[in-house]
Amino acid sequence: MEDARRGADLLCSTKDRDEHAVVVEAISHALTPLCSSLEIPDGPELVRTRTMWHLATRVRGRLTDRTVTSLDLAAALHPTPAVCGTPRDRARSAIAAREPVDRGYYAGAVGWQNASGDGEWIVAIRCGE
């Protein structure tokens, strides 16, 4: 009961929905030049894992150039606003100027790609060496 309430609270949270919308907008901005079509739902859905709830938006697109690989797409999307802020270049510069230490391997794309360029990637945050 408490778990379901927390999921519902997340889905209704203006703060979390606004933050999620910033990430979806950045994804749209990164993928639009690479796609002939892009489908983005109006709002997020709830996704539950064993340990937490997430807001998720399934973005679907059709690549303009079929030689673009899943790694190319991961590189176009990294770093996300959740990792670096937005706008990306200004946020990255501000972080570098203000943080007392280098982030090192703070975040990255983790996944796989086959010989055809198909693959699956996720954002890993607070990575270890």
Side-chain angles (χ1 to χ4, degrees):
M1 189 80 124
E2 176 68 14
D3 186 50
R5 184 193 62 75
R6 288 178 187 228
D9 287 351
L10 176 62
L11 190 58
C12 294
S13 167
T14 301
K15 173 200 166 287
D16 292 305
R17 289 178 71 96
D18 287 350
E19 289 175 356
H20 184 78
V22 168
V23 174
V24 172
E25 182 179 331
I27 290 169
S28 174
H29 181 74
L31 295 182
T32 294
L34 302 171
C35 294
S36 60
S37 66
L38 205 55
E39 299 171 26
I40 303 174
D42 289 335
E45 62 183 343
L46 270 179
V47 174
R48 182 177 182 261
T49 69
R50 290 181 341 153
T51 57
M52 66 182 64
W53 290 96
H54 295 278
L55 294 177
T57 298
R58 183 173 298 269
V59 176
R60 295 180 187 266
R62 182 167 304 278
L63 292 172
T64 303
D65 179 353
R66 295 188 132 276
T67 65
V68 172
T69 68
S70 65
L71 182 56
D72 295 328
L73 296 173
L77 294 167
H78 183 73
T80 72
V83 169
C84 182
T86 191
R88 183 186 298 174
D89 292 339
R90 283 189 17 212
R92 185 182 285 154
S93 294
I95 289 167
R98 288 171 180 79
E99 284 189 347
V101 296
D102 184 344
R103 285 186 166 197
Y105 295 116
Y106 179 77
V110 175
W112 61 270
Q113 176 178 289
N114 66 19
S116 299
D118 296 327
E120 186 173 348
W121 299 88
I122 62 165
V123 176
I125 300 174
R126 295 177 198 93
C127 303
E129 288 184 60

